[in-house]
Amino acid sequence: MATQEPGKPATPLNVIVATDCGSTTTKAILIEKVGDEYRQTYRGEAPTTVEAPFEDVTRGVLNAIAEIEELSGRKILDGDKIITPCRDAKTGVDIYISTSSAGGGLQMMVTGVVQNMTGESAQRAALGAGAIVIDVLASNDGRLPHEKIERIRTMRPDMILMSGGTDGGAVTHVVEMAEYIAAAEPRPRFGATYKLPLIYAGNREAQGQVNKILGEKSALVVTDNIRPVLERENLSPARNKIHDLFLEHVMQQAPGYRKLIEMAGAPIMPTPAAVGVIMETIAKREHLNLIGVDIGGATTDVFSVFEGVFNRTVSANLGMSYSISNVLAEAGLANIMRWVPFTIDEQTLRNRIKNKMIRPTTIPQTLDELQIEHAISREALRLALIHHKSLATGLKGVQQERTISDVFEQQTSGKTLIDMLKLDLIVGSGGILSHAPRRIQSMVMMVDAYEPLGFTRLSVDSIFMMPHLGVLSTIDEKAATDVFVRDCMVYLGTCAAPIGQGKDGERCADYEIAFPDGKTVTDQLKFGDLRLYPLESGKKATVTMRPAKSVNLGAGAGVAVTREVQGGVVGLMLDGRGRPLQFPTDQQARVAVLTKWFNAVGLYPTGANGV
Amino acid sequence: MAHSYTPGLTVTDSTVIRRRRILPLPGTVLVKVGDRVRSNQPVARAELPGKVYPLNLANQLGVAPNEITEYLIKKGGDAVQKDDILAENKPLFKWLKTEIRSPITGTVESVSTVTGQVLLREPPRVLELLGYVDGAVVEIHPQQGVTIECLCSLVQGIFGIGGETYGELVMAVAAPDEALTPAHVKPDMKGKIVVGGSFLPADTMVKAKEVGVAGLVVGGIHDKDLRALLGYDLGVAITGAEQVGFTLILTEGFGTIPMAQKTFALLSAHAGAKASISGATQIRAGVIRPEIIIPRTGTQTGSITQPQRAGIRLGDPVRIIRDPLFGKIGEVSALPPDLTKIPTESEVRVLEVRFSDGQVAVIPRTNIEVIEGT
């Protein structure tokens, strides 16, 4: 067992075993120092064991590590214990670390006074800390007081975050909310015997009153106001408290977590928080605007960094197995069908989706099943980004200094920070993207779902190890960076997508590509075209595009753009399908157009389904 | 990679199960260890706190919040009857008098001089927790509930809706591949658990509701019929609280799928017996599946028989759980160790399944389910 102080490894780290305890499976990876650099060498997985009959998360962890033992020939386990530090070249590991989203992750309820001001700030604080927000209560949320109390009582969160009011402002509303919470006597999800952790991060003036009302009824922690003044958010203190309480209270109650915490040589992180660390690091290191996505079985997490501002959202019921049926419910059948390159009757498709929901671990065996899953994933990704855009905004309710030019723009406060034209990189992670049989499939799924504008680079997590590397980066940044660069991040290539629409076959843009070997390609991109040019990882090409009069590549309608673009395992994709994407309404025509696109880039093996 | 094995659904004629019966909040346990209990017998009781009604007295009286105590007739903790006066002002002219009356019968929970608000609470509601299965109490969880042990036949379904119920088990069809038509549902099936075969059409659901059957157990249904039954599209498989008139359990999945022969035979053998069923389904790690429990008479062993399996073995009976052969049942005939490329181009671990007609198919290992139980 690891005995060193968390976060400060006592011995040099040469061999690391890391796990991510997900809602379905626990994924373990082995990282070893080879020469001067760290590499991910082996991987194992086993079903997560949070609930009956095992009710001990460490059982799944040990099973996943046992797989690594089998594959690597390294002895890591001594009975139920992980051997640390390494005893010799084939025995033990130097540290064991883990992330967790098992048992439904960290579920929080947040409160504010004004829904789209302190309510949203509280929501952002909780989401940034890796939580799923199950409800946002606010004085002006339209619910009657007794409805709020009933709601607090019936939801069983792991934790509540209370905010409201600027420092020195009125205390009435925030005290009123405290009274409602006290009246509801909320109980935590796990364990009937401990008090519910509650963080107060609202108006400083109300701290005493809140303490009087809730001090006895909850495990109250008071921290700095998340909105000390209207114009500024201060989310870090509340986020840090959420992490502390997650470890101290919530994790202690979940089955087997006490043991897991003892086993680990660093604090356990919520999975999304760990992935968030990685996304922020990439953006900072390379000075990029990025969108990251982790599409799982139950949820889809979206991360963004624009102009240095980090945001994260979780779409709790958009996922590819447990929540697959909810993607159908939210997107609607027509939106899913528009991506399916064959015809299928509604009843069959609905039954298939429900069968995946009730047997979530199954995988597509035939090509048409794979294409259906890829169609659903496009919609899950699209909906999750819409959700993200609505929350990743500037502060609302803030007075803005206006110049004369702003008068004509009619911009309001709280505009989304996501600007697809300024987006440099899309990073995809999660089973459907990481394990797609062809990497081009991951690229096209993300391009179709996000409809990037202008020039955008895309990448994917090779085998889903970002959570592991996120937690590793908190104790050894070099090890995390080495593995991230060499084994985790797979650059797919660049997509160039002109903005505008036209009839199929009409001129969209003329282009010239100067490849690194000196070869030059000059051609015309027509509306409806999708073209792919190989351009290896690490190589760059110079692309000049001269768009048609009404078409824009970011510099204005009809203005030519020259850009140096990066290659990847897929290459350079020119997307002349127009923005926003449009589909024929006729079923046969839709199938024909999808087949044309898919064949143009070699998306699927040919010969099946007419593709 | 034996560790990646996930067990399938249990269908067994004889097993000992334990069911924890836990109150949603602390209360009183009504039985003791060793007691025999019936499925419909209360085993624990709790008082659910009554609904809370906030009243802003300061606003209604037109006074500052910190002044409201001067106007209160009732104080915190006092009992109140509906229309009792809670507070009143004392104007110079009595026609200007304002009286605030209680909208409910209950108690004054709290009075706030910060917000000017009074919280009233209705009397608690008594909640009785039933035994759910016939069996013996083997453990008491003080103030929380009990664990009941039961010797029984057990069938786990794949998906269900509706809560716990019980009734006599009755076979409505003669074969597992026969659909349950409205004509199969007879008036004397009221309050019973009706077993169908391969499929439950929408018109049979209507008939079942009319007759008042307690539960339906069938191979499959169409998703569109489920949507019509619930009135919404079920997004996530967390069920058990639906109230559609009966509890529904699917043994195979969505579509027309014959009930596994073993399941059908076991249920047939117990026709006429009393069964407890629950449609509650939660498909997350560790999953809760719907279940049909048929208590058996006899001595209980007191030991729980957990299936201890090392993994999938040659000869195991399996059900294919993904298209294109969804619902077919066969036996494992080979377990090749190497990764195999399937038509999607994914390289996965596979196994070979031999069907009763001698045909053999190669299937990804994650796409089969071992039929558990002996």
Side-chain angles (χ1 to χ4, degrees):
Chain A
M1 289 224 285
T3 51
Q4 65 266 28
E5 192 185 329
K8 289 182 185 164
T11 48
L13 303 180
N14 292 322
V15 186
I16 299 154
V17 68
T19 57
D20 169 55
C21 307
S23 52
T24 334
T25 48
T26 298
K27 286 134 304 214
I29 59 167
L30 187 70
I31 292 168
E32 296 175 89
K33 198 168 186 182
V34 183
D36 275 345
E37 59 185 39
Y38 290 89
R39 300 299 300 260
Q40 184 272 324
T41 48
Y42 295 96
R43 178 178 187 277
E45 67 177 52
T48 296
T49 50
V50 179
E51 290 166 46
F54 305 105
E55 291 184 343
D56 180 356
V57 72
T58 61
R59 182 53 38 205
V61 167
L62 296 172
N63 286 343
I65 294 175
E67 280 219 358
I68 290 188
E69 275 191 320
E70 280 176 26
L71 295 165
S72 66
R74 172 179 290 274
K75 184 168 169 53
I76 304 173
L77 299 174
D78 180 10
D80 282 356
K81 293 197 167 115
I82 297 171
I83 302 166
T84 52
C86 278
R87 290 184 192 157
D88 57 52
K90 279 284 168 197
T91 314
V93 294
D94 292 317
I95 195 168
Y96 163 65
I97 51 176
S98 189
T99 58
S100 175
S101 59
L106 168 61
Q107 301 189 4
M108 290 185 66
M109 180 175 254
V110 303
T111 74
V113 170
V114 181
Q115 195 167 26
N116 64 7
M117 289 163 71
T118 44
E120 269 190 17
S121 293
Q123 200 175 355
R124 278 194 282 266
L127 288 166
I132 291 171
V133 175
I134 53 180
D135 204 349
V136 183
L137 292 165
S139 303
N140 71 336
D141 65 11
R143 286 178 276 197
L144 294 170
H146 71 271
E147 289 172 335
K148 286 186 184 120
I149 294 168
E150 210 46 41
R151 183 76 181 155
I152 300 166
R153 182 187 292 166
T154 50
M155 303 303 284
R156 295 184 65 174
D158 294 319
M159 207 185 287
I160 295 180
L161 171 64
M162 272 191 78
S163 71
T166 52
D167 283 342
V171 298
T172 317
H173 289 301
V174 71
V175 171
E176 196 173 71
M177 191 60 83
E179 285 168 0
Y180 296 153
I181 294 174
E185 295 182 7
R187 286 166 313 110
R189 194 160 55 107
F190 290 116
T193 52
Y194 81 109
K195 285 182 182 171
L196 180 77
L198 192 149
I199 299 165
Y200 176 70
N203 184 355
R204 208 170 39 201
E205 310 296 318
Q207 286 176 358
Q209 300 284 354
V210 170
N211 193 18
K212 208 165 127 194
I213 298 164
L214 287 164
E216 287 291 308
K217 292 196 166 179
S218 67
L220 178 69
V221 173
V222 175
T223 188
D224 295 348
N225 192 351
I226 55 171
R227 201 83 182 254
V229 289
L230 216 49
E231 291 74 18
R232 189 164 61 84
E233 262 182 355
N234 176 32
L235 304 180
S236 303
R239 276 183 187 161
N240 293 339
K241 286 284 178 244
I242 293 170
H243 280 165
D244 293 349
L245 290 176
F246 176 65
L247 286 168
E248 285 168 26
H249 288 261
V250 183
M251 296 273 288
Q252 299 283 354
Q253 304 301 326
Y257 275 87
R258 214 178 285 249
K259 262 160 76 184
L260 186 70
I261 291 167
E262 278 176 25
M263 277 162 71
I268 313 286
M269 282 177 92
T271 304
V275 177
V277 167
I278 286 287
M279 298 290 178
E280 260 192 297
T281 312
I282 304 169
K284 271 195 191 135
R285 200 180 53 213
E286 301 185 25
H287 306 288
L288 297 174
N289 291 331
L290 73 75
I291 290 177
V293 63
D294 177 7
I295 176 166
T299 64
T300 296
D301 287 339
V302 182
F303 307 82
S304 69
V305 183
F306 273 82
E307 313 298 342
V309 179
F310 171 75
N311 270 291
R312 171 199 168 237
T313 53
V314 52
S315 299
N317 287 325
L318 293 175
M320 289 307 297
S321 58
Y322 300 116
S323 314
I324 192 166
S325 185
N326 196 55
V327 180
L328 170 67
E330 283 197 23
L333 190 76
N335 276 330
I336 288 175
M337 282 310 297
R338 66 191 175 137
W339 304 112
V340 178
F342 50 88
T343 51
I344 179 171
D345 70 276
E346 177 176 345
Q347 185 161 290
T348 308
L349 184 70
R350 283 188 170 277
N351 285 345
R352 283 190 187 188
I353 291 172
K354 278 289 187 301
N355 281 324
K356 168 83 178 185
M357 175 187 80
I358 59 176
R359 288 177 166 111
T361 55
T362 59
I363 58 167
Q365 189 180 348
T366 56
L367 198 57
D368 61 343
E369 289 255 302
L370 181 76
Q371 288 166 336
I372 290 171
E373 286 206 5
H374 284 176
I376 298 167
S377 87
R378 285 170 169 93
E379 286 304 301
L381 291 168
R382 184 179 68 84
L383 293 171
L385 183 65
I386 291 172
H387 180 209
H388 184 81
K389 281 179 174 173
S390 70
L391 271 170
T393 60
L395 299 184
K396 291 175 187 158
V398 178
Q399 284 202 336
Q400 294 181 327
E401 282 183 34
R402 285 173 177 255
T403 62
I404 190 72
S405 64
D406 294 331
V407 174
F408 300 103
E409 287 191 12
Q410 294 290 315
Q411 284 186 355
T412 54
S413 61
K415 198 164 70 95
T416 185
L417 301 175
I418 310 301
D419 181 346
M420 297 305 278
L421 256 178
K422 289 186 182 158
L423 175 66
D424 299 302
L425 176 68
I426 299 174
V427 185
S429 185
I432 190 105
L433 296 174
S434 293
H435 300 307
R438 294 183 182 187
R439 293 288 189 199
I440 176 76
Q441 292 162 358
S442 313
M443 183 153 169
V444 172
M445 274 187 268
M446 289 192 278
V447 167
D448 286 351
Y450 292 159
E451 300 190 24
L453 308 176
F455 294 86
T456 314
R457 201 176 179 196
L458 292 104
S459 67
V460 71
D461 181 356
S462 63
I463 57 163
F464 188 66
M465 60 167 109
M466 284 191 183
H468 310 75
L469 299 185
V471 65
L472 178 60
S473 71
T474 64
I475 53 162
D476 190 331
E477 199 159 345
K478 176 180 160 38
T481 308
D482 277 2
V483 177
F484 180 78
V485 172
R486 289 174 183 85
D487 299 311
C488 172
M489 188 83 150
V490 176
Y491 284 102
L492 298 168
T494 299
C495 170
I499 310 161
Q501 279 169 340
K503 278 190 187 148
D504 268 16
E506 273 181 9
R507 174 176 169 259
C508 175
D510 295 318
Y511 62 87
E512 188 180 292
I513 309 167
F515 286 96
D517 59 2
K519 206 178 95 186
T520 304
V521 172
T522 307
D523 207 337
Q524 189 173 85
L525 183 69
K526 295 190 170 65
F527 276 108
D529 277 359
L530 197 58
R531 294 187 186 175
L532 185 64
Y533 291 94
L535 181 63
E536 283 171 44
S537 293
K539 298 273 170 68
K540 291 176 185 171
T542 305
V543 181
T544 301
M545 293 188 92
R546 285 173 215 85
K549 213 158 59 179
S550 61
V551 178
N552 186 351
L553 266 153
V559 180
V561 172
T562 299
R563 282 281 287 265
E564 193 171 60
V565 298
Q566 304 267 2
V569 293
V570 173
L572 169 64
M573 194 162 87
L574 302 184
D575 187 350
R577 297 176 297 170
R579 292 288 187 271
L581 278 175
Q582 287 188 325
F583 297 84
T585 43
D586 172 66
Q587 221 178 76
Q588 293 305 326
R590 188 205 76 228
V591 169
V593 90
L594 286 176
T595 306
K596 184 182 107 176
W597 292 341
F598 292 0
N599 284 343
V601 295
L603 200 62
Y604 295 104
T606 47
N609 308 326
V611 174
Chain B
M1 298 207 186
H3 308 285
S4 58
Y5 167 73
T6 313
L9 302 173
T10 300
V11 177
T12 182
D13 194 40
S14 181
T15 186
V16 176
I17 57 154
R18 286 186 172 193
R19 289 291 173 267
R20 273 162 65 91
R21 311 293 295 157
I22 300 294
L23 289 165
L25 72 176
T28 315
V29 175
L30 305 173
V31 291
K32 55 185 190 305
V33 170
D35 282 0
R36 299 279 314 167
V37 293
R38 310 284 300 169
S39 54
N40 56 353
Q41 175 184 342
V43 292
R45 182 180 296 140
E47 289 192 339
L48 287 177
K51 261 190 182 170
V52 175
Y53 288 84
L55 274 185
N56 199 310
L57 291 189
N59 285 353
Q60 296 196 26
L61 290 169
V63 299
N66 59 4
E67 293 170 357
I68 59 165
T69 44
E70 296 168 30
Y71 300 90
L72 284 176
I73 304 291
K74 300 281 183 184
K75 303 276 181 291
D78 283 359
V80 290
Q81 296 295 314
K82 188 169 188 291
D83 294 328
D84 276 0
I85 299 172
L86 292 172
E88 59 184 16
N89 61 2
K90 300 171 187 93
L92 283 175
F93 307 103
K94 72 174 178 189
W95 59 86
L96 291 174
K97 187 168 179 172
T98 305
E99 289 174 346
I100 313 292
R101 292 175 184 274
S102 172
I104 59 152
T105 296
T107 50
V108 179
E109 170 111 343
S110 68
V111 176
S112 171
T113 52
V114 176
T115 59
Q117 191 154 247
V118 168
L119 298 179
L120 304 171
R121 194 183 284 274
E122 282 187 340
R125 197 160 53 84
V126 173
L127 174 102
E128 286 193 328
L129 180 69
L130 302 182
Y132 173 48
V133 291
D134 293 356
V137 178
V138 290
E139 197 180 345
I140 300 287
H141 310 284
Q143 295 189 304
Q144 293 188 63
V146 298
T147 297
I148 297 170
E149 190 174 280
C150 166
L151 173 67
C152 64
S153 300
L154 174 70
V155 173
Q156 282 184 318
I158 186 72
F159 175 79
I161 58 167
E164 296 168 352
T165 186
Y166 37 84
E168 184 192 321
L169 205 59
V170 49
M171 303 302 288
V173 295
D177 57 358
E178 195 179 339
L180 185 67
T181 61
H184 288 119
V185 181
K186 306 276 169 30
D188 64 355
M189 289 176 177
K190 184 178 179 187
K192 294 183 181 172
I193 295 170
V194 178
V195 181
S198 58
F199 180 63
L200 173 69
D203 48 1
T204 310
M205 294 182 194
V206 174
K207 181 79 181 292
K209 214 187 285 191
E210 273 171 24
V211 167
V213 303
L216 287 168
V217 182
V218 293
I221 57 169
H222 282 321
D223 177 44
K224 70 171 171 52
D225 296 337
L226 175 70
R227 195 166 43 136
L229 180 68
L230 292 173
Y232 57 90
D233 209 344
L234 186 78
V236 183
I238 297 174
T239 66
E242 298 74 20
Q243 292 186 329
V244 295
F246 49 79
T247 291
L248 169 65
I249 296 179
L250 308 184
T251 59
E252 314 302 316
F254 288 87
T256 302
I257 319 157
M259 187 179 286
Q261 179 62 43
K262 184 179 170 185
T263 310
F264 191 81
L266 192 148
L267 294 174
S268 301
H270 293 284
K274 188 183 152 194
S276 297
I277 67 169
S278 166
T281 310
Q282 192 171 321
I283 302 172
R284 291 272 158 126
V287 304
I288 298 168
R289 293 286 186 188
E291 59 187 11
I292 302 143
I293 297 167
I294 309 154
R296 307 193 60 171
T297 47
T299 332
Q300 288 175 25
T301 61
S303 64
I304 308 292
T305 45
Q306 267 311 334
Q308 294 291 325
R309 302 182 63 97
I312 306 160
R313 291 166 304 199
L314 288 177
D316 276 346
V318 292
R319 177 196 273 117
I320 294 169
I321 54 173
R322 180 94 192 204
D323 280 312
L325 297 171
F326 183 80
K328 284 198 86 171
I329 287 169
E331 263 185 25
V332 177
S333 56
L335 286 161
D338 295 328
L339 296 176
T340 305
K341 196 178 238 187
I342 58 173
T344 59
E345 295 186 333
S346 285
E347 293 200 349
V348 297
R349 303 200 76 196
V350 298
L351 47 70
E352 254 180 43
V353 180
R354 187 184 304 278
F355 303 109
S356 55
D357 60 3
Q359 300 252 6
V360 170
V362 174
I363 309 288
R365 288 193 190 192
T366 52
N367 290 359
I368 62 102
E369 189 171 78
V370 177
I371 300 172
E372 303 274 354
T374 49

